[in-house]
C-alpha cells in the first residue's frame, strides 16, 4: 500500500496532514445547503474544491451522515422511540443513502485520488445510537452495541470495493470507549483489516492528558494539543489540530508526525487559510 498514511507508518514520510473538513466545506463552499446529502456529484465537487484550500493528505467520507439525516427526517414525522432493531433494519433498507456514499467515493477517487487518501469515517455504535436520539441506557447496552456493530460490518462489506485507504472509527465519548463497546467494535476493525484498510480510532471527545487505550493501528486525538501527544516509536498517534488551534490566535506548538483535527464549521475562511499556511501548506 502506497497511501500517505501507509508511507508514514513505514517511516517513509516525515509528516501527514489529516484534516476533517466536511462540515466546514458544507457551510463555506456549499452555502449550508439542506440538500447536502442528495447530490453526490455536487458533494464530491465541493469537497474537491475545498481540498485545494485545506490541502489535507486524507479526505474522510462520513458514511453514516446520510443515514442519520434520513432517519431524523423520518423520526420528525413518526415520533417513534428508537430501537436497535428498527435502526439496523433502517441501515439495510436505505439504497439511496448507500448509493450516495458509493457514488461519492467513486467521484472523489477520480477527482482527488492523486492528492489524498480516502478514509471511511464511521461513528462508533454508541455514538450512532446517540446521534439518532437513543437514550444513554440503550446506547450503553451491550446487546444493542453488538447488534449494531454487526449491522455496521455489513455496511462495510457493501463498500469494500471502494478505494478507501483506511477506516476511521469515531467516538465523542469523553473517556473513550467502554469495555462493552470495545467488544462491539472489534469485528468492525477486523473487517477493515481484512479489506486491507488501515484502522484508526478517533477520540473526538478526549481532551485530557490521560489518553484511552487504542486497539487500532493509529489513534487520533483531534482535541489534544500537539505538545501533549508523543509521536511514539510505533508511529501510532495523531492529533494537535484542536478547535482552539483553528479558532484562536495561537500557532501550533510541538512537533507531531501525524497532524489531525477538525475545522469547526463556524471558523472564518481567512483564519483557516492562514492556519493552513502556518502548517507549511
Amino acid at each position: 500500500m502506497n497511501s500517505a498514511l501507509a508511507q508514514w507508518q513505514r517511516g517513509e514520510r516525515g509528516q501527514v496532514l489529516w484534516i476533517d473538513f466536511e462540515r466546514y466545506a458544507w457551510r463555506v463552499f456549499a452555502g449550508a445547503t439542506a440538500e447536502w446529502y442528495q447530490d453526490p456529484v455536487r458533494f464530491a465537487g465541493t469537497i474537491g474544491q475545498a481540498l485545494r484550500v485545506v490541502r489535507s493528505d486524507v479526505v474522510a467520507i462520513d458514511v453514516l451522515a446520510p443515514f442519520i439525516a434520513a432517519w431524523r427526517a423520518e423520526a420528525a414525522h413518526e415520533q417513534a422511540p428508537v430501537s436497535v432493531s428498527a435502526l439496523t433494519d433502517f441501515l439495510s433498507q436505505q439504497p439511496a443513502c448507500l448509493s450516495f456514499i458509493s457514488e461519492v467515493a467513486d467521484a472523489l477517487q477520480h477527482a482527488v485520488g492523486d492528492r489524498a487518501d480516502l478514509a471511511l469515517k464511521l461513528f462508533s455504535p454508541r455514538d450512532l445510537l446517540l446521534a439518532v436520539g437513543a437514550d444513554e441506557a440503550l446506547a450503553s447496552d451491550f446487546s444493542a452495541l453488538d447488534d449494531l456493530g454487526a449491522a455496521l460490518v455489513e455496511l462495510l462489506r457493501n463498500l469494500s470495493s471502494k478505494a478507501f485507504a483506511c477506516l476511521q472509527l469515531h467516538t465523542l465519548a469523553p473517556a473513550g470507549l467502554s469495555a462493552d463497546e470495545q467488544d462491539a467494535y472489534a469485528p468492525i476493525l477486523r473487517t477493515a483489516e481484512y479489506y486491507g484498510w488501515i484502522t484508526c480510532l478517533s477520540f473526538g471527545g478526549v481532551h485530557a492528558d490521560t489518553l484511552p487505550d487504542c486497539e487500532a493501528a493509529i489513534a487520533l486525538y483531534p482535541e489534544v494539543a500537539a505538545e501533549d501527544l508523543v509521536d511514539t516509536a510505533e508511529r501510532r498517534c495523531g492529533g494537535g489540530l484542536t478547535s482552539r488551534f483553528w479558532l484562536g490566535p495561537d500557532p501550533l506548538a510541538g512537533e507531531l508526525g501525524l497532524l489531525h483535527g477538525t475545522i469547526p464549521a463556524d471558523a472564518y475562511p481567512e483564519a483557516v487559510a492562514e492556519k493552513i499556511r502556518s502548517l507549511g501548506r
Side-chain angles (χ1 to χ4, degrees), residues 1-21:
M1 182 182 293
N2 290 316
S3 71
L5 282 171
Q7 291 172 353
W8 175 75
Q9 279 189 308
R10 295 194 298 263
E12 299 169 2
R13 186 184 181 110
Q15 188 176 75
V16 170
L17 178 64
W18 180 348
I19 301 173
D20 280 341
F21 60 92

Side-chain angles (χ1 to χ4, degrees), residues 132-207:
V132 299
D135 59 29
E136 187 64 43
L138 182 60
S140 302
D141 180 79
F142 174 74
S143 294
L145 297 175
D146 192 49
D147 289 347
L148 190 51
L152 295 179
V153 165
E154 186 61 29
L155 181 61
L156 296 188
R157 291 195 182 106
N158 288 326
L159 296 169
S160 61
S161 64
K162 304 306 172 184
F164 291 112
C166 70
L167 167 75
Q168 178 191 6
L169 188 62
H170 184 67
T171 180
L172 293 173
L177 297 162
S178 68
D180 281 348
E181 192 166 11
Q182 290 180 41
D183 288 340
Y185 76 58
I188 298 174
L189 296 181
R190 301 294 84 78
T191 299
E193 291 171 350
Y194 175 79
Y195 293 129
W197 301 335
I198 296 169
T199 56
C200 305
L201 270 175
S202 176
F203 298 95
V206 173
H207 296 76

